[in-house]
Amino acid sequence: MNVRLVKPDEMTEAATLADSIFRDGEQVSMAAGFPYLFSAVTSSSFGAYGEDGRMTAFMGLLPSAVRIGASELNVFSVGAVCTAPEARGHGVAGQLLDAVKDQVAESDGDLILVSGTRSLYTRAGCREFGTIRRYTLTPEMAPALREAAAEAAQAGVSDGGTASQTGADASARAASQAGVGASRGTDAAGPLRCREWTRSDLPALAKLAASREVAFEQSQWDLAMLIDAQAYARCVKLGHRVYVAERGGVPAAFLVAALPGGLRPKMTPFAIEWAGEPSAVAALLAHALETAAPEKLDVLASRHDAGLAALLQKHAPHADERILGTVYVPDAARLFHRLKPYLAALQPEKAALLKACTGAAERGIRLSYPGLDDLELDADAWIALLFDGPFLLPGEEAGAEANAAPVLPEGTPAQWREALTDLFPVPFPSTSGLNYI
Protein backbone atom coordinates (compact mmCIF):
# COMPACT_ATOMS: atom_id res chain seq x y z
CA MET A 1 0.00 0.00 0.00
CA ASN A 2 1.42 3.38 -1.06
CA VAL A 3 0.55 6.30 1.26
CA ARG A 4 1.30 9.78 -0.07
CA LEU A 5 -0.03 13.28 -0.66
CA VAL A 6 -2.96 13.40 -3.04
CA LYS A 7 -1.97 14.91 -6.38
CA PRO A 8 -4.04 17.76 -7.85
CA ASP A 9 -5.48 15.60 -10.61
CA GLU A 10 -6.56 12.96 -8.06
CA MET A 11 -8.93 15.17 -6.05
CA THR A 12 -11.95 14.12 -8.13
CA GLU A 13 -11.18 10.48 -7.31
CA ALA A 14 -10.89 11.41 -3.61
CA ALA A 15 -14.28 13.14 -3.66
CA THR A 16 -15.88 10.15 -5.43
CA LEU A 17 -14.56 7.81 -2.72
CA ALA A 18 -15.77 10.14 0.05
CA ASP A 19 -19.20 10.47 -1.60
CA SER A 20 -19.56 6.68 -1.70
CA ILE A 21 -19.10 6.54 2.09
CA PHE A 22 -20.72 9.73 3.37
CA ARG A 23 -23.37 10.85 0.87
CA ASP A 24 -26.75 9.54 -0.22
CA GLY A 25 -28.78 10.47 -3.25
CA GLU A 26 -30.22 13.56 -1.57
CA GLN A 27 -26.91 15.24 -0.70
CA VAL A 28 -24.48 17.20 -2.84
CA SER A 29 -20.97 15.92 -3.37
CA MET A 30 -18.41 16.27 -0.58
CA ALA A 31 -16.39 18.35 -3.04
CA ALA A 32 -19.16 20.96 -2.99
CA GLY A 33 -19.64 20.80 0.78
CA PHE A 34 -15.91 21.01 1.54
CA PRO A 35 -14.43 22.99 -1.36
CA TYR A 36 -11.15 23.84 0.38
CA LEU A 37 -10.57 20.27 1.60
CA PHE A 38 -11.01 18.86 -1.91
CA SER A 39 -9.08 21.67 -3.59
CA ALA A 40 -5.85 20.93 -5.41
CA VAL A 41 -4.59 24.33 -4.21
CA THR A 42 -5.46 24.52 -0.49
CA SER A 43 -5.58 20.88 0.63
CA SER A 44 -2.68 18.87 2.11
CA SER A 45 -4.62 15.61 2.06
CA PHE A 46 -3.28 12.07 1.93
CA GLY A 47 -4.41 8.99 0.06
CA ALA A 48 -3.59 5.28 0.13
CA TYR A 49 -3.10 3.59 -3.24
CA GLY A 50 -3.15 -0.05 -4.25
CA GLU A 51 -0.78 -1.73 -6.70
CA ASP A 52 -3.05 -0.73 -9.55
CA GLY A 53 -2.69 2.94 -8.57
CA ARG A 54 -6.32 3.26 -7.49
CA MET A 55 -7.09 5.26 -4.34
CA THR A 56 -8.42 2.96 -1.63
CA ALA A 57 -8.44 5.37 1.35
CA PHE A 58 -8.43 9.12 1.94
CA MET A 59 -7.66 11.39 4.89
CA GLY A 60 -8.46 15.04 4.31
CA LEU A 61 -6.05 17.59 5.82
CA LEU A 62 -6.62 21.34 5.62
CA PRO A 63 -4.49 24.12 7.16
CA SER A 64 -6.01 27.21 8.73
CA ALA A 65 -5.22 29.89 11.29
CA VAL A 66 -6.95 30.37 14.64
CA ARG A 67 -6.72 33.73 16.40
CA ILE A 68 -6.77 33.77 20.20
CA GLY A 69 -6.32 37.37 21.29
CA ALA A 70 -2.84 38.46 20.19
CA SER A 71 -1.79 34.89 19.33
CA GLU A 72 -2.24 33.11 16.03
CA LEU A 73 -2.07 29.32 15.85
CA ASN A 74 -1.27 27.15 12.85
CA VAL A 75 -4.11 24.63 12.91
CA PHE A 76 -4.70 21.60 10.71
CA SER A 77 -8.13 19.97 10.43
CA VAL A 78 -8.61 16.28 9.62
CA GLY A 79 -11.87 15.10 8.08
CA ALA A 80 -13.63 13.13 5.33
CA VAL A 81 -11.63 10.08 6.44
CA CYS A 82 -12.77 7.05 4.48
CA THR A 83 -11.59 3.63 3.31
CA ALA A 84 -13.04 1.52 0.52
CA PRO A 85 -14.72 -1.62 1.93
CA GLU A 86 -12.22 -3.99 0.30
CA ALA A 87 -9.25 -2.19 1.92
CA ARG A 88 -10.52 -2.17 5.49
CA GLY A 89 -8.93 -4.12 8.32
CA HIS A 90 -5.33 -3.65 7.16
CA GLY A 91 -4.31 -0.61 9.24
CA VAL A 92 -4.48 1.79 6.30
CA ALA A 93 -6.15 4.59 8.29
CA GLY A 94 -3.40 4.40 10.91
CA GLN A 95 -0.76 4.78 8.21
CA LEU A 96 -2.59 7.80 6.83
CA LEU A 97 -2.74 9.37 10.29
CA ASP A 98 1.01 8.85 10.77
CA ALA A 99 1.63 10.58 7.44
CA VAL A 100 -0.65 13.46 8.48
CA LYS A 101 1.28 13.91 11.74
CA ASP A 102 4.57 14.07 9.85
CA GLN A 103 3.14 16.62 7.41
CA VAL A 104 1.85 18.82 10.23
CA ALA A 105 5.21 18.67 12.02
CA GLU A 106 7.02 19.70 8.83
CA SER A 107 4.52 22.56 8.43
CA ASP A 108 5.15 23.98 11.93
CA GLY A 109 1.62 23.06 13.02
CA ASP A 110 0.40 23.80 16.54
CA LEU A 111 -2.80 21.73 16.69
CA ILE A 112 -4.50 18.96 14.75
CA LEU A 113 -8.31 19.06 14.98
CA VAL A 114 -10.09 15.80 14.18
CA SER A 115 -13.83 15.69 13.61
CA GLY A 116 -14.00 12.12 14.94
CA THR A 117 -13.63 10.54 18.39
CA ARG A 118 -13.16 6.86 17.48
CA SER A 119 -10.34 4.69 18.77
CA LEU A 120 -8.22 5.27 15.65
CA TYR A 121 -7.64 8.80 16.93
CA THR A 122 -7.62 8.28 20.69
CA ARG A 123 -5.02 5.48 20.38
CA ALA A 124 -2.84 7.94 18.49
CA GLY A 125 -2.96 10.62 21.21
CA CYS A 126 -5.98 12.66 20.13
CA ARG A 127 -8.10 13.76 23.09
CA GLU A 128 -11.55 15.23 23.67
CA PHE A 129 -11.19 18.77 24.93
CA GLY A 130 -12.88 21.87 26.19
CA THR A 131 -16.36 22.63 27.50
CA ILE A 132 -19.19 24.33 25.65
CA ARG A 133 -22.73 25.07 26.72
CA ARG A 134 -25.67 24.04 24.55
CA TYR A 135 -28.74 26.26 24.88
CA THR A 136 -31.98 24.96 23.36
CA LEU A 137 -34.35 27.67 22.14
CA THR A 138 -37.96 27.39 20.95
CA PRO A 139 -40.15 29.89 19.07
CA GLU A 140 -42.12 30.56 22.27
CA MET A 141 -38.97 32.05 23.80
CA ALA A 142 -38.48 34.62 21.01
CA PRO A 143 -40.44 37.55 22.54
CA ALA A 144 -38.65 37.27 25.90
CA LEU A 145 -35.28 36.90 24.19
CA ARG A 146 -35.93 39.93 22.01
CA GLU A 147 -36.93 41.97 25.07
CA ALA A 148 -33.80 40.85 26.96
CA ALA A 149 -31.65 41.82 23.98
CA ALA A 150 -33.20 45.29 23.85
CA GLU A 151 -32.71 45.78 27.59
CA ALA A 152 -29.08 44.68 27.35
CA ALA A 153 -28.41 47.08 24.49
CA GLN A 154 -29.96 49.97 26.42
CA ALA A 155 -27.95 49.07 29.52
CA GLY A 156 -24.73 49.06 27.54
CA VAL A 157 -24.08 45.34 27.95
CA SER A 158 -23.02 44.97 24.32
CA ASP A 159 -19.25 45.23 24.02
CA GLY A 160 -18.84 45.23 20.26
CA GLY A 161 -18.24 41.48 19.89
CA THR A 162 -19.59 38.12 20.94
CA ALA A 163 -16.26 37.21 22.48
CA SER A 164 -15.18 38.45 25.86
CA GLN A 165 -12.24 40.76 25.30
CA THR A 166 -8.82 39.17 25.76
CA GLY A 167 -6.12 41.67 26.66
CA ALA A 168 -4.74 44.81 25.10
CA ASP A 169 -5.37 43.64 21.54
CA ALA A 170 -9.07 43.47 22.37
CA SER A 171 -9.19 47.13 23.29
CA ALA A 172 -7.60 48.08 20.01
CA ARG A 173 -10.06 45.99 18.00
CA ALA A 174 -13.08 47.27 19.92
CA ALA A 175 -11.94 50.86 19.50
CA SER A 176 -11.40 50.32 15.80
CA GLN A 177 -14.87 48.89 15.34
CA ALA A 178 -16.43 51.70 17.37
CA GLY A 179 -14.60 54.22 15.20
CA VAL A 180 -16.01 52.68 12.03
CA GLY A 181 -19.53 52.93 13.40
CA ALA A 182 -19.07 56.51 14.60
CA SER A 183 -17.63 57.64 11.28
CA ARG A 184 -20.80 56.45 9.55
CA GLY A 185 -23.17 58.10 11.98
CA THR A 186 -24.22 54.95 13.82
CA ASP A 187 -26.39 55.45 16.91
CA ALA A 188 -25.27 52.73 19.32
CA ALA A 189 -28.56 53.02 21.22
CA GLY A 190 -30.76 53.13 18.12
CA PRO A 191 -33.29 50.44 17.16
CA LEU A 192 -32.18 47.23 15.48
CA ARG A 193 -33.54 45.98 12.19
CA CYS A 194 -33.20 42.24 11.63
CA ARG A 195 -33.31 40.86 8.09
CA GLU A 196 -31.80 38.22 5.81
CA TRP A 197 -28.46 39.12 4.30
CA THR A 198 -27.59 40.13 0.77
CA ARG A 199 -24.23 39.78 -0.97
CA SER A 200 -23.66 43.52 -0.53
CA ASP A 201 -23.40 42.86 3.23
CA LEU A 202 -20.29 40.71 2.78
CA PRO A 203 -17.63 43.42 3.48
CA ALA A 204 -19.39 44.48 6.69
CA LEU A 205 -19.87 40.87 7.80
CA ALA A 206 -16.18 40.15 7.22
CA LYS A 207 -15.27 43.14 9.43
CA LEU A 208 -17.56 41.86 12.17
CA ALA A 209 -15.98 38.40 11.88
CA ALA A 210 -12.50 39.94 12.07
CA SER A 211 -13.43 41.81 15.27
CA ARG A 212 -13.81 38.57 17.21
CA GLU A 213 -11.01 37.91 19.66
CA VAL A 214 -11.27 34.13 19.33
CA ALA A 215 -12.00 32.78 15.87
CA PHE A 216 -10.78 31.04 12.75
CA GLU A 217 -9.27 33.62 10.40
CA GLN A 218 -11.73 34.30 7.56
CA SER A 219 -11.21 36.64 4.63
CA GLN A 220 -14.15 37.97 2.64
CA TRP A 221 -13.51 35.19 0.15
CA ASP A 222 -13.44 32.57 2.91
CA LEU A 223 -16.65 33.86 4.48
CA ALA A 224 -18.52 33.85 1.16
CA MET A 225 -17.22 30.40 0.19
CA LEU A 226 -17.94 28.79 3.57
CA ILE A 227 -21.43 30.24 3.81
CA ASP A 228 -22.19 28.89 0.35
CA ALA A 229 -20.59 25.47 0.99
CA GLN A 230 -22.76 24.73 4.06
CA ALA A 231 -20.29 22.03 5.16
CA TYR A 232 -21.71 20.85 8.48
CA ALA A 233 -25.29 21.78 7.63
CA ARG A 234 -25.30 19.62 4.51
CA CYS A 235 -23.89 16.66 6.44
CA VAL A 236 -27.02 16.68 8.63
CA LYS A 237 -29.46 17.67 5.85
CA LEU A 238 -29.99 21.26 6.96
CA GLY A 239 -29.30 24.46 5.05
CA HIS A 240 -27.82 27.87 5.80
CA ARG A 241 -29.81 31.03 6.34
CA VAL A 242 -27.89 34.18 7.10
CA TYR A 243 -29.34 37.06 9.10
CA VAL A 244 -28.08 40.59 9.72
CA ALA A 245 -28.99 43.01 12.51
CA GLU A 246 -28.37 46.60 11.51
CA ARG A 247 -28.60 49.85 13.40
CA GLY A 248 -28.75 53.09 11.47
CA GLY A 249 -28.05 51.15 8.29
CA VAL A 250 -24.81 49.67 9.68
CA PRO A 251 -24.62 45.93 10.50
CA ALA A 252 -24.14 45.34 14.22
CA ALA A 253 -24.16 41.53 14.08
CA PHE A 254 -24.73 38.57 11.82
CA LEU A 255 -25.92 35.02 12.38
CA VAL A 256 -25.52 31.92 10.21
CA ALA A 257 -28.14 29.34 11.16
CA ALA A 258 -28.54 25.74 9.98
CA LEU A 259 -32.27 25.35 9.42
CA PRO A 260 -34.59 22.81 7.79
CA GLY A 261 -35.09 22.95 4.04
CA GLY A 262 -36.41 20.38 1.61
CA LEU A 263 -34.77 17.35 3.26
CA ARG A 264 -35.54 15.47 6.46
CA PRO A 265 -33.00 16.80 9.01
CA LYS A 266 -30.67 14.43 10.83
CA MET A 267 -30.34 16.69 13.88
CA THR A 268 -31.85 19.70 15.65
CA PRO A 269 -31.37 23.01 13.79
CA PHE A 270 -28.57 25.07 15.28
CA ALA A 271 -26.66 28.34 15.10
CA ILE A 272 -23.54 27.75 13.00
CA GLU A 273 -21.66 31.00 13.58
CA TRP A 274 -22.14 34.62 14.59
CA ALA A 275 -20.27 37.85 15.25
CA GLY A 276 -21.04 41.30 16.57
CA GLU A 277 -22.78 42.74 19.62
CA PRO A 278 -24.11 39.99 21.91
CA SER A 279 -27.48 41.73 22.29
CA ALA A 280 -27.78 42.03 18.50
CA VAL A 281 -26.94 38.33 18.08
CA ALA A 282 -29.64 37.50 20.63
CA ALA A 283 -32.10 39.62 18.63
CA LEU A 284 -31.15 37.68 15.49
CA LEU A 285 -31.79 34.39 17.26
CA ALA A 286 -35.24 35.65 18.20
CA HIS A 287 -35.78 36.75 14.59
CA ALA A 288 -34.77 33.32 13.27
CA LEU A 289 -37.11 31.60 15.72
CA GLU A 290 -40.01 33.81 14.64
CA THR A 291 -39.46 33.76 10.88
CA ALA A 292 -38.11 30.25 10.23
CA ALA A 293 -40.13 28.71 13.11
CA PRO A 294 -38.00 25.61 13.81
CA GLU A 295 -39.31 23.41 16.60
CA LYS A 296 -35.98 23.95 18.36
CA LEU A 297 -32.78 25.87 17.73
CA ASP A 298 -29.55 24.94 19.52
CA VAL A 299 -26.85 27.49 20.30
CA LEU A 300 -23.42 26.20 21.33
CA ALA A 301 -21.66 28.89 23.35
CA SER A 302 -17.94 28.76 24.10
CA ARG A 303 -16.18 30.35 27.08
CA HIS A 304 -15.51 33.55 25.18
CA ASP A 305 -19.22 33.90 24.30
CA ALA A 306 -20.01 35.00 27.85
CA GLY A 307 -22.02 38.06 26.76
CA LEU A 308 -24.40 36.03 24.61
CA ALA A 309 -24.50 33.14 27.08
CA ALA A 310 -25.57 35.47 29.90
CA LEU A 311 -28.55 36.60 27.81
CA LEU A 312 -29.56 33.06 26.86
CA GLN A 313 -29.07 31.75 30.39
CA LYS A 314 -32.18 33.53 31.64
CA HIS A 315 -34.50 32.08 29.02
CA ALA A 316 -33.29 28.70 27.76
CA PRO A 317 -32.42 25.31 29.26
CA HIS A 318 -28.82 24.32 28.82
CA ALA A 319 -26.37 21.43 29.14
CA ASP A 320 -22.59 21.38 29.14
CA GLU A 321 -20.68 19.11 26.78
CA ARG A 322 -17.36 18.64 25.03
CA ILE A 323 -16.26 20.57 21.96
CA LEU A 324 -16.98 18.53 18.82
CA GLY A 325 -14.17 16.14 17.91
CA THR A 326 -10.68 15.65 19.32
CA VAL A 327 -7.38 17.54 19.39
CA TYR A 328 -3.74 16.49 19.03
CA VAL A 329 -0.81 18.67 20.13
CA PRO A 330 2.35 17.80 18.14
CA ASP A 331 4.77 19.95 20.17
CA ALA A 332 3.69 21.22 23.59
CA ALA A 333 6.54 23.72 24.05
CA ARG A 334 6.02 25.22 20.59
CA LEU A 335 2.31 25.70 21.30
CA PHE A 336 3.13 27.40 24.62
CA HIS A 337 5.41 29.90 22.90
CA ARG A 338 2.80 30.54 20.20
CA LEU A 339 0.27 31.33 22.95
CA LYS A 340 2.67 33.65 24.82
CA PRO A 341 1.32 36.90 23.23
CA TYR A 342 -2.21 36.00 24.37
CA LEU A 343 -1.01 35.10 27.87
CA ALA A 344 1.09 38.27 28.08
CA ALA A 345 -1.90 40.48 27.23
CA LEU A 346 -4.05 38.61 29.75
CA GLN A 347 -1.67 38.57 32.74
CA PRO A 348 1.59 40.40 31.88
CA GLU A 349 3.45 39.70 35.13
CA LYS A 350 2.57 36.01 35.38
CA ALA A 351 3.20 35.39 31.68
CA ALA A 352 6.62 37.02 31.87
CA LEU A 353 7.65 34.72 34.72
CA LEU A 354 6.20 31.49 33.28
CA LYS A 355 8.64 29.55 31.08
CA ALA A 356 8.31 26.25 29.22
CA CYS A 357 10.40 23.67 27.42
CA THR A 358 9.88 20.15 26.10
CA GLY A 359 9.03 17.74 28.91
CA ALA A 360 10.27 14.28 29.78
CA ALA A 361 7.09 12.55 28.57
CA GLU A 362 6.37 12.18 24.86
CA ARG A 363 4.84 15.46 23.61
CA GLY A 364 4.85 16.66 27.22
CA ILE A 365 5.93 19.98 28.68
CA ARG A 366 8.02 21.22 31.58
CA LEU A 367 6.79 24.49 33.13
CA SER A 368 9.06 26.72 35.22
CA TYR A 369 8.10 29.55 37.57
CA PRO A 370 10.32 31.45 40.04
CA GLY A 371 10.34 29.94 43.53
CA LEU A 372 8.65 26.68 42.45
CA ASP A 373 9.95 23.27 41.43
CA ASP A 374 9.43 22.61 37.74
CA LEU A 375 6.06 21.13 36.82
CA GLU A 376 6.06 18.17 34.42
CA LEU A 377 2.87 17.54 32.42
CA ASP A 378 2.32 14.74 29.93
CA ALA A 379 0.42 15.34 26.69
CA ASP A 380 -2.99 14.59 28.21
CA ALA A 381 -2.42 16.84 31.24
CA TRP A 382 -1.23 19.65 28.95
CA ILE A 383 -4.40 19.44 26.85
CA ALA A 384 -6.50 19.45 30.03
CA LEU A 385 -4.69 22.52 31.35
CA LEU A 386 -5.10 24.30 28.02
CA PHE A 387 -8.78 23.70 27.39
CA ASP A 388 -10.66 21.90 30.18
CA GLY A 389 -12.58 23.10 33.22
CA PRO A 390 -16.14 24.09 34.10
CA PHE A 391 -18.19 26.48 32.00
CA LEU A 392 -19.28 29.04 34.58
CA LEU A 393 -20.72 32.50 34.10
CA PRO A 394 -20.23 35.26 36.71
CA GLY A 395 -22.61 34.67 39.62
CA GLU A 396 -22.99 30.92 39.10
CA GLU A 397 -22.56 28.55 42.02
CA ALA A 398 -18.77 28.15 42.00
CA GLY A 399 -18.12 31.90 41.70
CA ALA A 400 -16.95 34.04 38.81
CA GLU A 401 -13.26 33.29 39.31
CA ALA A 402 -13.81 29.52 38.94
CA ASN A 403 -14.22 29.97 35.19
CA ALA A 404 -10.48 30.67 35.00
CA ALA A 405 -9.39 27.90 37.39
CA PRO A 406 -6.77 25.62 35.77
CA VAL A 407 -7.25 21.85 35.50
CA LEU A 408 -4.12 20.13 36.84
CA PRO A 409 -3.25 16.58 37.93
CA GLU A 410 -4.15 15.55 41.44
CA GLY A 411 -1.34 16.37 43.83
CA THR A 412 -0.15 19.47 41.96
CA PRO A 413 1.14 21.96 44.56
CA ALA A 414 -1.26 24.77 45.44
CA GLN A 415 1.40 27.33 44.49
CA TRP A 416 1.35 26.04 40.92
CA ARG A 417 -2.42 26.29 40.79
CA GLU A 418 -2.16 29.89 41.93
CA ALA A 419 0.55 30.66 39.35
CA LEU A 420 -1.55 29.30 36.47
CA THR A 421 -4.89 30.73 37.59
CA ASP A 422 -6.21 33.44 35.21
CA LEU A 423 -3.92 32.17 32.43
CA PHE A 424 -5.66 28.85 31.75
CA PRO A 425 -7.89 27.49 30.33
CA VAL A 426 -7.44 29.07 26.91
CA PRO A 427 -10.57 29.96 24.88
CA PHE A 428 -11.07 28.21 21.56
CA PRO A 429 -13.52 28.75 18.68
CA SER A 430 -16.23 26.27 17.80
CA THR A 431 -15.13 23.32 15.69
CA SER A 432 -18.69 22.96 14.40
CA GLY A 433 -18.87 26.41 12.81
CA LEU A 434 -18.25 27.50 9.24
CA ASN A 435 -14.73 26.01 9.32
CA TYR A 436 -15.99 22.53 10.21
CA ILE A 437 -14.03 19.76 8.50
Side-chain angles (χ1 to χ4, degrees), residues 121-308:
Y121 309 118
T122 56
R123 287 197 309 266
C126 301
R127 294 292 177 263
E128 294 186 14
F129 70 111
T131 305
I132 56 174
R133 180 160 292 180
R134 181 185 296 271
Y135 294 91
T136 300
L137 311 179
T138 62
E140 293 75 23
M141 299 175 187
L145 185 57
R146 185 186 300 280
E147 183 178 352
E151 291 175 355
Q154 288 295 325
V157 171
S158 298
D159 60 9
T162 51
S164 59
Q165 303 301 318
T166 54
D169 188 54
S171 299
R173 288 180 182 273
S176 173
Q177 293 301 311
V180 171
S183 68
R184 297 179 63 178
T186 304
D187 178 5
L192 278 175
R193 175 187 173 226
C194 297
R195 58 175 175 80
E196 294 208 39
W197 85 313
T198 67
R199 288 288 169 172
S200 61
D201 293 315
L202 185 60
L205 269 56
K207 288 179 180 178
L208 287 168
S211 74
R212 296 175 295 188
E213 290 306 306
V214 180
F216 283 88
E217 292 283 7
Q218 296 166 342
S219 69
Q220 283 194 45
W221 292 1
D222 294 329
L223 197 58
M225 182 73 79
L226 295 172
I227 287 173
D228 183 68
Q230 306 177 69
Y232 194 15
R234 280 173 161 164
C235 286
V236 295
K237 297 192 175 183
L238 295 166
H240 282 179
R241 290 182 68 174
V242 185
Y243 300 96
V244 175
E246 62 181 11
R247 185 182 290 110
V250 178
F254 75 83
L255 168 70
V256 182
L259 295 166
L263 305 179
R264 183 178 179 84
K266 291 184 176 182
M267 65 180 291
T268 300
F270 59 101
I272 289 275
E273 197 150 329
W274 56 85
E277 300 173 10
S279 60
V281 175
L284 286 173
L285 290 168
H287 181 75
L289 288 167
E290 291 174 336
T291 57
E295 290 185 13
K296 296 179 180 179
L297 181 67
D298 283 347
V299 181
L300 277 68
S302 301
R303 297 181 189 281
H304 51 280
D305 294 317
L308 178 62

